[in-house]
Amino acid sequence: MDEISKWEQFQLSFELFRDPILCALVAGGVLGFLSVYVVLRRMVFVSAAVTHSAGLGVALAFFVDIHLGLSVDPMLGATILSVIATLLLMLDPARLKLTRESMLGLAFAFAGGAAVLVGDRIAQEAHDIQGILFGTAVLVTPENLYTVAGVGGAILLLQLWWYRGFTFVSFDRVGATVQGLPVRMLDAVLMMSIGIMVGVSARALGSLPVFAFSTLSAIAALVLDFRLGWTFLLATLFGCISGVGGYLFAFFYDFPVGGSQTVLASVLVLLTALLRGGLNLLDPTR
Amino acid sequence: MKTDDPPKPGETSAAPQLPPGELLVSCEELAVGYGETPMLPAFNLKIYKGSFVSVVGRNGSGKSTWFKTLLGMIPPVSGRVVKHRPELKWSYVPQTVGIDTILPMRPKEMVIWGRLSGWNFLRPFSTSQERKLAEEAIDTAGARSFAHRPYRELSEGQKQRALLARVIASQAELVLLDEPTAAMDAVAEQETMKRLVRLARDQNMAVVVVSHDLELAARHADVLVFLDRETPSIIVGDAQTVFCSHAFRHQYGDEYCARAKSGSPLGHTHG
């Protein structure tokens, strides 16, 4: 009996893979768009701390379900913890005589350590915890997809609508303040957009690929050194490619999904750096 | 603490030598500083449309703090800043421009930000009128030749011209510039100051500029403001009033006073 090829397997079982692929496409695209703010505002470690907090949120959701009998959707747990972490990181650390880096270190270490402790008490869900931290598309349910698509779509729409305000406030805060823009409100909405998107995506895809989408997509786009508008567009595209391409790579070569998506996002950075190098050779004035 | 005489508080006004334009902002018994400790004595100042005000003083004399107080970014220790128009349009170019060099922006994209104010970002696209104003501002500021080049690749003088274009596009009535010529050579510095003077005259904007070049400041300004934390004093007036004040001579010597009285050029004198 002939063994069917991977491609045939993929075609035959496409319905099984459709939701995870669509989820990776939407999450990768929206996080890719937001990653431009994360990188240009030098908030890469904010993204790391928030994704870790999302992981803790999922672990806590399992914990309260198992030990307290309270049914909490892990995606809700991830989102709540992401939002709390985002809100805490928005506070002015100078009031506590601390630097932003100190707060980030605290949030990152606490969320990671607490996730391990909580995970230790929910051993029967260990597989899920692994999935949360490193990503596995098996966890993507239709409900996960609808949530990621709904939240992601709303965030992307808001980002496009308020694009002029978000960019001005993000990249010239003083100028925006003087010209009377509602700087704090715009900042808060932007940070909450990042926190919420990280939260819902971390449950569906895992913390590691979410961190990759929310940082590496912009890095790959920025290396190309196009105008700001193009940078946003390319980062969105690179996020989509990393999400979907990583999933397909994992399927065809039997690798873990989250790791594949993360490595592909990194490879895109290398490819764009090579492309930029080539363009620089052709145009030495740059 | 004291404020040198003359002028007396309440008698100082940053009006052009021509008939004064509309009164935009008044500092009324304003004392600036952080927390409850004033850095400088309280003072009065009126800023009119079309006037050019130069602010001079040593590093750390409180110039930036005064600017931030004017802009409402930090509260006054005492006194108040009165805006005589509820919808007064400001523009500010800080000492260290907060535009990160990793940002992939071109001057053309930055200039259009000048048209944003209040909540008009809710309109997702700039109007054709806004784009036209931005284009005209690029030409007026002399930034056309590098409008499409990455901001980080520009010289300091070009960066300032790009920011100046944004200020022009904003159609602000009052513009505050904190050491816009700090990183420029003498030629670029002179050109920039001339552009700023033209901006005040042609666009009828009030321009308040911090400068360390005393000669340029004295030559172009309608009014000089000298800040000194050491004495501590604020002197407001023409070049002779400021340069011949006790506080100024304490910091810079008698030479400037003598030259201001004789009317001889000061040469390049960085303070």
Side-chain angles (χ1 to χ4, degrees), chain A residues 115-201:
Chain A
V116 172
L117 291 187
V118 175
D120 187 61
R121 290 292 180 269
I122 49 173
Q124 56 271 54
E125 305 288 346
H127 176 73
D128 281 338
I129 295 293
Q130 279 290 105
I132 292 153
L133 295 177
F134 301 111
T136 161
V138 177
L139 290 172
V140 175
T141 61
E143 288 74 28
N144 287 164
L145 172 63
Y146 300 147
T147 309
V148 169
V151 170
I155 286 175
L156 193 58
L157 203 63
L158 184 68
Q159 287 295 322
L160 294 173
W161 180 18
W162 291 9
Y163 173 80
R164 299 197 305 160
F166 284 133
T167 48
F168 193 17
V169 165
S170 293
F171 307 135
D172 187 3
R173 191 181 176 83
V174 173
T177 305
V178 172
Q179 286 177 218
L181 272 78
V183 172
R184 284 187 182 178
M185 188 277 287
L186 282 165
D187 236 5
V189 172
L190 177 61
M191 293 297 288
M192 294 308 289
S193 299
I194 295 170
I196 290 170
M197 197 60 207
V198 164
V200 297
S201 306

Side-chain angles (χ1 to χ4, degrees), chain B residues 203-219:
Chain B
Q203 313 275 332
N204 202 23
M205 289 177 173
V207 176
V208 185
V209 56
V210 170
S211 175
H212 278 294
D213 190 317
L214 301 173
E215 186 271 338
L216 276 181
R219 190 197 300 168

Side-chain angles (χ1 to χ4, degrees), chain A:
Chain A
M1 195 174 140
D2 289 341
E3 199 176 304
I4 63 168
S5 69
K6 277 278 185 183
W7 175 242
E8 284 167 329
Q9 276 182 42
F10 183 74
Q11 284 179 308
L12 287 171
S13 317
F14 181 73
E15 210 162 300
L16 190 68
F17 305 128
R18 189 194 58 204
D19 286 359
I21 288 175
L22 285 175
C23 193
L25 179 79
V26 175
V30 178
L31 287 168
F33 185 95
L34 294 171
S35 71
V36 179
Y37 291 110
V38 170
V39 174
L40 287 179
R41 291 181 60 157
R42 299 174 190 264
M43 301 193 304
V44 168
F45 288 102
V46 171
S47 177
V50 173
T51 48
H52 257 58
S53 303
L56 173 62
V58 177
L60 280 173
F62 284 126
F63 183 88
V64 296
D65 191 10
I66 294 163
H67 296 285
L68 305 176
L70 294 171
S71 177
V72 177
D73 186 335
M75 187 172 272
L76 184 65
T79 307
I80 290 171
L81 263 286
S82 299
V83 168
I84 290 172
T86 308
L87 288 173
L88 287 175
L89 292 171
M90 280 167 63
L91 296 176
D92 181 9
R95 287 169 189 263
L96 296 171
K97 310 287 180 208
L98 292 174
T99 61
R100 179 77 60 201
E101 284 70 27
S102 318
M103 296 288 282
L104 286 172
L106 178 68
F108 183 82
F110 173 76
V116 172
L117 291 187
V118 175
D120 187 61
R121 290 292 180 269
I122 49 173
Q124 56 271 54
E125 305 288 346
H127 176 73
D128 281 338
I129 295 293
Q130 279 290 105
I132 292 153
L133 295 177
F134 301 111
T136 161
V138 177
L139 290 172
V140 175
T141 61
E143 288 74 28
N144 287 164
L145 172 63
Y146 300 147
T147 309
V148 169
V151 170
I155 286 175
L156 193 58
L157 203 63
L158 184 68
Q159 287 295 322
L160 294 173
W161 180 18
W162 291 9
Y163 173 80
R164 299 197 305 160
F166 284 133
T167 48
F168 193 17
V169 165
S170 293
F171 307 135
D172 187 3
R173 191 181 176 83
V174 173
T177 305
V178 172
Q179 286 177 218
L181 272 78
V183 172
R184 284 187 182 178
M185 188 277 287
L186 282 165
D187 236 5
V189 172
L190 177 61
M191 293 297 288
M192 294 308 289
S193 299
I194 295 170
I196 290 170
M197 197 60 207
V198 164
V200 297
S201 306
R203 170 64 185 110
L205 303 172
S207 298
L208 184 64
V210 164
F211 176 67
F213 299 153
S214 61
T215 53
L216 299 177
S217 312
I219 295 171
L222 283 165
V223 165
L224 290 173
D225 195 21
F226 290 125
R227 288 188 299 120
L228 189 64
W230 281 104
T231 304
F232 274 101
L233 188 66
L234 286 169
T236 307
L237 185 66
F238 292 150
C240 293
I241 292 171
S242 306
V244 176
Y247 187 89
L248 296 176
F249 180 83
F251 175 81
F252 285 109
Y253 296 98
D254 291 323
F255 281 111
V257 175
S260 301
Q261 289 168 326
T262 304
V263 169
L264 181 56
S266 311
V267 168
L268 284 175
V269 175
L270 293 175
L271 289 176
T272 53
L274 286 172
L275 183 60
R276 177 75 266 164
L279 291 172
N280 286 353
L281 283 176
L282 292 174
D283 180 8
T285 57
R286 290 188 60 88

